[in-house]
Amino acid sequence: MPKRAETHSEPVPAREELNACRRCPLWHDATQGVPGAGPTSAKLMLVGEQPGNEEDLQGEPFVGPAGRLLSEALERAGLERHDVYLTNAVKHFKFELRGKRRLHKTPGQLEVEACGIWLEQEIQAVEPTVIVALGATATGAVLGRKRVALSTLMDEPVEREGRLVVATYHPSFVLRQRSEESRHAAFERIVASLRQAVRLAAGRRSR
Ligand code: URA
């Protein structure tokens, strides 16, 4: 995918800024804040929910099981990780301890809203033509809505301040499916959404 010239005025939030963030309590138990990754010239931005256990430890988005699945989906859509800017709605890992295991907990609305300034800064800095929102939390965060019905929003891209938002399943949703058949269907849906995002980005001039 052709890259745009670097004309962006705002930088994306730095790791240190996220580590210093006290806008919600999640920093306290997380190892570190996880900034977005990828070229700031990308036309596509992918937004996930929050870092998972491995992302929290490594400080990089989508490097755990969901990230590996996302890489496969990107590949199927003719994209590579370095073609897109990858980030999360919430930058610190929210979890509950079960023995020694840290189990993912869905971030609450207050945490999503508190983290909104960082996502907004990334959108302003990267100026993506199309944003792919992975799952309901990301879709709500990108569209600034408290509650979203993902299944209805997945039908058509939604316009958000001149950019298109393609809502799709989160890769973890695929991993949670019990049958091979539903895993396959959910994965193919993500691939189709990524392909749609590529087409939309190609057909639309950047703002
Ligand atoms: N899930 C997410 O939403 N983001 C990550 O970075 C990893 C898993």
Side-chain angles (χ1 to χ4, degrees), residues 60-90:
E60 298 293 331
F62 285 104
V63 290
R68 287 190 279 280
L69 197 82
L70 183 61
S71 295
E72 266 181 59
L74 284 168
E75 202 178 309
R76 282 278 312 284
L79 291 163
E80 304 209 28
R81 274 175 81 106
H82 61 244
D83 290 327
V84 300
Y85 185 89
L86 275 176
T87 193
N88 283 301
V90 170

Side-chain angles (χ1 to χ4, degrees), residues 11-149:
V12 290
R15 191 178 294 279
E16 302 72 51
E17 287 182 277
L18 301 182
N19 284 337
C21 183
R22 300 292 181 263
R23 295 174 63 87
C24 84
L26 292 185
W27 65 274
H28 190 266
D29 295 332
T31 309
Q32 57 193 318
V34 178
T40 52
S41 56
K43 287 175 119 191
L44 289 185
M45 176 184 274
L46 269 58
V47 182
E49 183 195 80
Q50 62 163 347
N53 186 55
E54 290 187 38
E55 288 81 12
D56 170 79
L57 297 172
Q58 294 185 41
E60 298 293 331
F62 285 104
V63 290
R68 287 190 279 280
L69 197 82
L70 183 61
S71 295
E72 266 181 59
L74 284 168
E75 202 178 309
R76 282 278 312 284
L79 291 163
E80 304 209 28
R81 274 175 81 106
H82 61 244
D83 290 327
V84 300
Y85 185 89
L86 275 176
T87 193
N88 283 301
V90 170
K91 311 297 192 219
H92 283 97
F93 180 34
K94 181 171 181 177
F95 61 91
E96 66 183 22
L97 268 182
R98 214 45 91 66
K100 287 192 177 161
R101 293 182 62 208
R102 303 192 303 168
L103 298 184
H104 164 276
K105 270 191 97 176
T106 304
Q109 185 58 27
L110 287 179
E111 288 138 2
V112 172
E113 281 174 14
C115 229
I117 56 153
W118 303 120
L119 180 62
E120 203 49 47
Q121 193 179 323
E122 285 173 306
I123 295 172
Q124 297 309 323
V126 177
E127 300 187 297
T129 312
V130 180
I131 301 174
V132 179
L134 302 164
T137 301
T139 305
V142 169
L143 297 178
R145 298 191 197 165
K146 284 197 169 70
R147 259 179 220 96
V148 295

